[in-house]
Amino acid sequence: MDGVLRVLVVDDDEEDFLILRDLLADYPQGRFELDWVATLAEGVEALRANRHDVFLVDYHLGPDNGMDLVRMAVTERSAHRPVIMLTGHGNPDVDREALAAGASDYLVKGNIDAEKLARSLRYAAERARQMAQIEDGKRRYRQLFELNPFPIWVYDADTYRFIAVNDAMVANYGYSRDELQGMTVFDIRDADEAERLKAYLPGRAGYSGGAGVWRHRRKDGSLLWAEVTGHPVELNGKACRMVIAHDITAQRAAQERLLLLQRAVESSMNGIVIADAQAADLPILYVNPAFEALTGYGSDEVMGRNCRFLQGDETRQPELEILRRALAGGEDCNVILRNFRKDGELFWNHLFISPVLDEGGAITHFVGIQNDLTERRQVEAELAYAANHDPVTALPRYPILETAISSLLEREGTELSLLFIDIDHFHAINESMGHIIGDEALRLVSERLRDVLGGPGYLARFAGDEFVALVPDATPAEVLEVAEALRQAVAQPVTGDGYNLFLTASIGIARSPIHGCTGTDLLRRAEAAMSRAKREGRDAVCEFSTAQMQELEDRLVLGARLREAVSRNELQLHYQPQLDAGSRRITGFEALLRWNSADLGPVPPGRFIPIAESLGLMPELGLWVLDEACRQLRAWRDQGREGFTVAINFSAHQLQRPDIVQRVREALERHGVPGAMLEIELTESSLMENVDRVKGRLAEIKALGVSLSLDDFGTGYSSLAYLKQFSLDKLKIDRSFVTDLPGDAADAAIARTIVAVGHELRMVVAAEGVENQEQADFLREMGCDELQGYHFGRPAPAAEIEARFPRD
């Protein structure tokens, strides 16, 4: 040991200190520096000051014991500052006590010489130094093992059991130390991985270094990938191995994600291109196989180039400016570009561009994703064509022609004629010969019409067997010539495989500006003219007339007013009496709708009823009539009037309503009217629509107590088979068979037949349109049960008709 050994003597006798100092002063081998204190307290203070290498302590320190200093040195972990006990005479018990307390040596004052004292001091100092090194090694071990952030464990090389584990392993694997010390290295692995370890370990007992990547399992079952390093160590005389595990689970997951992304990019059906955003002209760094397939260029042909080469000569596309702005601003964008493949073929490229940012937010790359829209564009074009063109005739549909009409009418001074062409009775062709032959006939007819007009530009299929044609800038005479040529073209025989068809067409003409200044006006008026051609016998050409225009305008005006008539309280019921043919006593009234318009004055039923039917207003008006009739019945009942019925008319549309039975029930209940006081008049035509449905609804209405009558019998189907099916209560002879009675023998025969049929079917038979006494007597004599007509009273408001009730 080099240098001066610093020694502190703790002895209450200074003579003893001087003797010790003199002994060491004369000793030639070693240099010693001795200090002296006399009390235990001073010795403790010096021990804590840590300025001496060895302490020589007398066993007896006055009232104190030097052994306390030894114990304090051990307790305060100052054992590396050794304490040698001194005593005046030898005592084995004191010797054992001193060594047990932690003293480095035990010396008897009378038996000390210079060599012995020096050797004891050097031995104590050397032992203290070694102990300090051991403690330092332990401290380093704790830092390397216990405090290491990586999981570390030591296992027995023979049993493979864990001997020591650090905190990082406990934290990472989820097991406690006690649990791990009862486990082997195989227990933190799946069975297949444990077998791999068993195959790996033989012959590697002395190997030190990396052992590769292993798959471990935590206590909770989660996966942990560890990159392992192993070293041979000896612990308590046993051959062991120390393992350091670097958890690379997150790194491996990131690598797997990166690999997955790479595979996804490589296998994507969309072309993907990556360009360097920090290099001039944004050169291409990467393209995937789909890009190569889409463009026909190999990756080696495009590396380092700007993507603009795909544009060919199409460098002025509007979408390119959007793309340039997005690249300059580092923004996302998507554009549809016309690009060209390597072979020069055009393709529609739906391009999505996104910037890639680094950790600092700087743009490093641009990623482009390409989607070939060429096929979709073709399909869209085909669908657009199909949506705008008729598949049978290949003619444009009317909305396309409507656009052309608007364009033509916008030209100043343009006169445009619109022709509405309807193939007469064409539905019979479809019904008798089938739609295949019908479609072929329409195709041939459309070709003839195009030939007459000089091309398809001004011809469209409107619907079914209807066509619309335009003739711009032609005189009325020229338009009539074209229309006649179209009619004659349709009239040419249509010959097919085993059939000959002879078709005709009804054509209506409307001209701007005299018949209208919009496409809608011209179409509506040309269609009205076509309808007149049909009424006049078909296979004809009719031009829209001033009278027709007035009729249409009248219809529009009346229709608009009629829709508001209910809310404006302009409707009223007039009642016409029905009398017993024999006693001439009133049996009931027929309620007839009247309209007194605030703007137009009284409007005759013959004028507004057809308009209501054509506009679909009859169900709404019919419900008003039903409610008003029940209200009036309630009022008459409140006046004590009984023993009569009120008849209202139901239209065909009204009878088809799914809620009509419920509406009748609600009206009766709302006004507290018994069903027996209400009679519903039906026409033959209303019974013929959806016979089974009508039959069921009439049965439900009759179940409410309401009676049913058939109006105008003899003018429609007059089917006795249908008459038998419906549970009708009354049959009304139409006025057309009453007008010429009794002079017309034919009418008289028909009337007698209707009376006989009605009575055979146990129905009341009534005659309407009775205008004189002679007719009334004649009908009574033939057996008619009830009479109605102007002879007995015209329809009148309820207030006036009340005077007709019999007085009690």
Side-chain angles (χ1 to χ4, degrees):
M1 181 175 180
D2 300 329
V4 177
L5 192 66
R6 294 167 300 173
V7 181
L8 177 68
V9 178
V10 184
D11 197 326
D12 58 353
D13 189 347
E14 188 177 6
E15 288 294 331
D16 290 339
F17 163 68
L18 295 175
I19 293 170
L20 293 174
R21 187 185 64 181
D22 292 342
L23 284 173
L24 292 176
D26 296 334
Y27 186 70
Q29 297 178 1
R31 296 172 55 196
F32 301 92
E33 182 181 293
L34 272 68
D35 294 319
W36 170 71
V37 295
T39 66
L40 177 64
E42 292 175 310
V44 171
E45 183 180 353
L47 178 69
R48 290 173 176 168
N50 197 25
R51 292 192 296 267
H52 298 85
D53 300 312
V54 183
F55 295 83
L56 286 171
V57 181
D58 188 11
Y59 183 75
H60 293 289
L61 293 172
D64 298 316
N65 191 324
M67 199 69 71
D68 292 335
L69 190 63
V70 175
R71 294 189 182 96
M72 185 174 294
V74 174
T75 302
E76 296 188 1
R77 297 184 180 180
S78 299
H80 60 283
R81 293 290 178 247
V83 178
I84 299 173
M85 290 301 301
L86 296 173
T87 184
H89 50 81
N91 186 327
D93 293 334
V94 174
D95 187 4
R96 284 192 295 272
E97 182 185 4
L99 294 177
S104 299
D105 203 354
Y106 176 80
L107 298 176
V108 179
K109 294 179 180 180
N111 296 328
I112 299 175
D113 57 24
E115 182 179 354
K116 185 176 182 180
L117 178 59
R119 184 173 64 249
S120 180
L121 290 171
R122 284 199 302 270
Y123 171 77
E126 179 62 23
R127 185 170 179 271
R129 186 185 63 81
Q130 292 176 354
M131 290 296 295
Q133 288 179 340
I134 291 172
E135 288 186 9
D136 186 60
K138 289 181 178 178
R139 180 180 58 80
R140 292 175 180 272
Y141 166 77
R142 281 196 302 272
Q143 289 178 339
L144 292 174
F145 187 82
E146 290 294 347
L147 303 180
N148 199 304
F150 294 138
I152 303 177
W153 60 87
V154 177
Y155 68 89
D156 190 315
D158 294 327
T159 65
Y160 302 109
R161 288 192 173 275
F162 291 107
I163 294 176
V165 298
N166 70 345
D167 291 342
M169 185 184 186
V170 172
N172 272 14
Y173 284 77
Y175 295 100
S176 68
R177 290 180 186 273
D178 291 340
E179 288 175 317
L180 286 168
Q181 288 178 356
M183 298 166 59
T184 70
V185 293
F186 304 116
D187 294 332
I188 60 172
R189 293 166 168 83
D190 291 334
D192 61 328
E193 196 74 347
E195 291 300 319
R196 185 165 82 94
L197 180 62
K198 290 176 183 178
Y200 172 82
L201 288 175
R204 297 180 183 270
Y207 174 74
S208 180
V213 176
W214 295 82
R215 189 178 74 248
H216 295 169
R217 286 285 174 191
R218 299 184 177 92
K219 184 178 180 179
D220 63 6
S222 60
L223 183 69
L224 183 148
W225 288 95
E227 187 173 14
V228 170
T229 302
H231 305 280
V233 295
E234 184 176 325
L235 191 61
N236 298 328
K238 291 184 178 180
C240 301
R241 287 191 65 79
M242 182 174 69
V243 176
I244 302 174
H246 180 200
D247 184 356
I248 60 169
T249 307
Q251 176 184 342
R252 190 177 180 93
Q255 290 174 343
E256 290 178 353
R257 285 196 300 271
L258 186 61
L259 181 61
L260 177 62
L261 288 174
Q262 181 180 353
R263 290 174 178 170
V265 169
E266 293 290 328
S267 60
S268 173
M269 297 179 63
N270 296 106
I272 298 177
V273 55
I274 300 176
D276 188 346
Q278 297 182 338
D281 209 27
L282 303 177
I284 294 174
L285 298 179
Y286 168 84
V287 294
N288 72 339
F291 176 94
E292 297 177 312
L294 173 63
T295 65
Y297 290 96
S299 61
D300 56 333
E301 297 178 277
V302 302
M303 289 301 171
R305 301 176 67 181
N306 185 284
C307 289
R308 73 173 64 91
F309 71 89
L310 292 174
Q311 300 164 17
D313 295 331
E314 297 276 352
T315 59
R316 297 182 179 275
Q317 302 176 50
E319 298 266 306
L320 286 175
E321 185 57 34
I322 299 174
L323 176 60
R324 293 185 186 112
R325 286 199 302 268
L327 292 174
E331 301 171 344
D332 293 334
C333 82
N334 75 89
V335 292
I336 298 177
L337 301 174
R338 294 187 301 276
N339 283 172
F340 295 89
R341 309 185 206 277
K342 184 177 180 180
D343 61 6
E345 180 186 1
L346 170 71
F347 73 96
W348 289 94
N349 180 11
H350 193 181
L351 177 65
F352 294 81
I353 294 288
S354 290
V356 179
L357 310 180
D358 64 11
E359 295 83 354
I363 299 175
T364 60
H365 300 83
F366 282 102
V367 176
I369 300 177
Q370 299 174 313
N371 185 16
D372 187 355
L373 296 184
T374 308
E375 184 176 347
R376 195 176 92 180
R377 281 294 181 102
Q378 291 173 347
V379 171
E380 288 175 350
E382 292 171 0
L383 290 175
Y385 182 86
N388 295 319
H389 289 76
D390 173 49
V392 175
T393 63
L395 290 174
R397 300 184 191 272
Y398 179 71
I400 300 299
L401 195 65
E402 194 172 24
T403 302
I405 295 172
S406 298
S407 298
L408 290 170
L409 290 175
E410 288 175 0
R411 298 177 187 173
E412 187 175 354
T414 297
E415 291 187 2
L416 178 65
S417 296
L418 187 146
L419 284 63
F420 197 100
I421 306 163
D422 182 278
I423 310 300
D424 298 324
H425 297 302
F426 193 79
H427 61 88
I429 303 295
N430 286 327
E431 292 173 0
S432 61
M433 306 188 72
H435 285 280
I436 294 178
I437 292 177
D439 287 348
E440 179 62 19
L442 285 175
R443 186 184 63 78
L444 291 173
V445 166
S446 69
E447 289 179 357
R448 294 176 185 176
L449 297 178
R450 278 186 291 190
D451 291 341
V452 172
L453 293 168
Y458 292 135
L459 179 66
R461 186 178 180 186
F462 186 74
D465 54 5
E466 298 170 335
F467 299 86
V468 174
L470 301 181
V471 181
D473 298 322
T475 65
E478 292 171 337
V479 174
L480 285 173
E481 289 179 6
V482 172
E484 184 60 28
L486 293 171
R487 188 193 65 77
Q488 292 178 8
V490 174
Q492 297 297 316
V494 175
T495 302
D497 186 11
Y499 65 86
N500 286 313
L501 300 179
F502 297 93
L503 305 175
T504 60
S506 298
I507 302 175
I509 303 172
R511 292 186 292 111
S512 71
I514 61 172
H515 297 149
C517 297
T518 67
T520 302
D521 289 341
L522 292 177
L523 178 69
R524 187 171 66 248
R525 287 156 189 173
E527 185 178 9
M530 179 274 297
S531 298
R532 183 160 63 90
K534 284 187 175 294
R535 290 196 299 271
E536 293 178 358
R538 296 183 171 83
D539 191 21
V541 175
C542 281
E543 187 174 9
F544 187 72
S545 66
T546 304
Q548 280 182 297
M549 181 178 292
Q550 183 58 45
E551 180 182 338
L552 279 178
E553 294 299 331
D554 191 43
R555 185 173 168 185
L556 289 174
V557 171
L558 284 179
R561 299 289 196 283
L562 188 55
R563 291 181 187 277
E564 302 174 353
V566 174
S567 61
R568 295 172 66 174
N569 199 30
E570 294 178 350
L571 300 180
Q572 187 180 25
L573 289 184
H574 284 197
Y575 299 88
Q576 186 174 32
Q578 298 170 329
L579 288 78
D580 180 277
S583 66
R584 305 297 165 90
R585 183 180 180 84
I586 291 178
T587 58
F589 301 92
E590 181 177 1
L592 300 169
L593 183 62
R594 295 294 184 262
W595 178 23
N596 187 18
S597 170
D599 300 322
L600 307 173
V603 182
R607 187 178 172 195
F608 75 80
I609 292 295
I611 292 175
E613 290 176 341
S614 65
L615 295 178
L617 297 176
M618 285 308 297
E620 181 182 350
L621 296 179
L623 290 177
W624 183 88
V625 170
L626 170 64
D627 188 75
E628 176 61 18
C630 289
R631 186 199 65 77
Q632 186 59 55
L633 275 170
R634 175 73 261 171
W636 281 335
R637 289 197 76 202
D638 290 343
Q639 297 172 12
R641 316 284 189 185
E642 298 285 352
F644 65 94
T645 61
V646 171
I648 60 173
N649 292 278
F650 264 21
S651 68
H653 289 162
Q654 193 171 359
L655 196 56
Q656 295 298 323
R657 287 177 63 103
D659 63 345
I660 188 61
V661 178
Q662 180 64 22
R663 291 302 187 97
V664 173
R665 181 186 295 109
E666 290 174 353
L668 293 172
E669 292 175 352
R670 182 164 51 251
H671 297 289
V673 174
M677 295 189 73
L678 182 66
E679 179 181 314
I680 294 177
E681 292 191 5
L682 309 160
T683 61
E684 290 184 73
S685 60
S686 67
L687 298 178
M688 297 302 107
E689 293 185 21
N690 297 310
V691 173
D692 291 336
R693 181 191 301 167
V694 169
K695 185 177 178 182
R697 286 182 182 160
L698 291 181
E700 291 183 67
I701 290 174
K702 283 209 66 169
L704 300 176
V706 178
S707 59
L708 304 174
S709 65
L710 183 60
D711 198 12
D712 303 332
F713 186 73
T715 61
Y717 298 91
S718 301
S719 170
L720 298 180
Y722 281 134
L723 193 61
K724 178 182 176 183
Q725 289 187 46
F726 299 103
S727 300
L728 301 171
D729 300 289
K730 184 185 292 187
L731 204 58
K732 297 186 74 173
I733 303 172
D734 186 68
R735 68 180 62 250
S736 61
F737 302 120
V738 175
T739 301
D740 294 330
L741 291 179
D744 192 306
D747 286 344
I750 292 172
R752 286 193 185 92
T753 302
I754 294 174
V755 170
V757 169
H759 287 167
E760 285 296 323
L761 295 175
R762 298 184 178 181
M763 290 189 287
V764 173
V765 179
E768 56 185 356
V770 179
E771 297 187 356
N772 53 60
Q773 185 65 38
E774 191 176 7
Q775 291 172 342
D777 293 341
F778 185 79
L779 289 165
R780 178 183 56 78
E781 290 172 0
M782 72 169 54
C784 192
D785 301 303
E786 291 182 355
L787 304 175
Q788 177 182 346
Y790 285 174
H791 179 62
F792 305 108
R794 293 177 176 273
E800 297 180 18
I801 210 69
E802 289 174 0
R804 302 294 306 275
F805 280 106
R807 300 181 183 275
D808 296 331

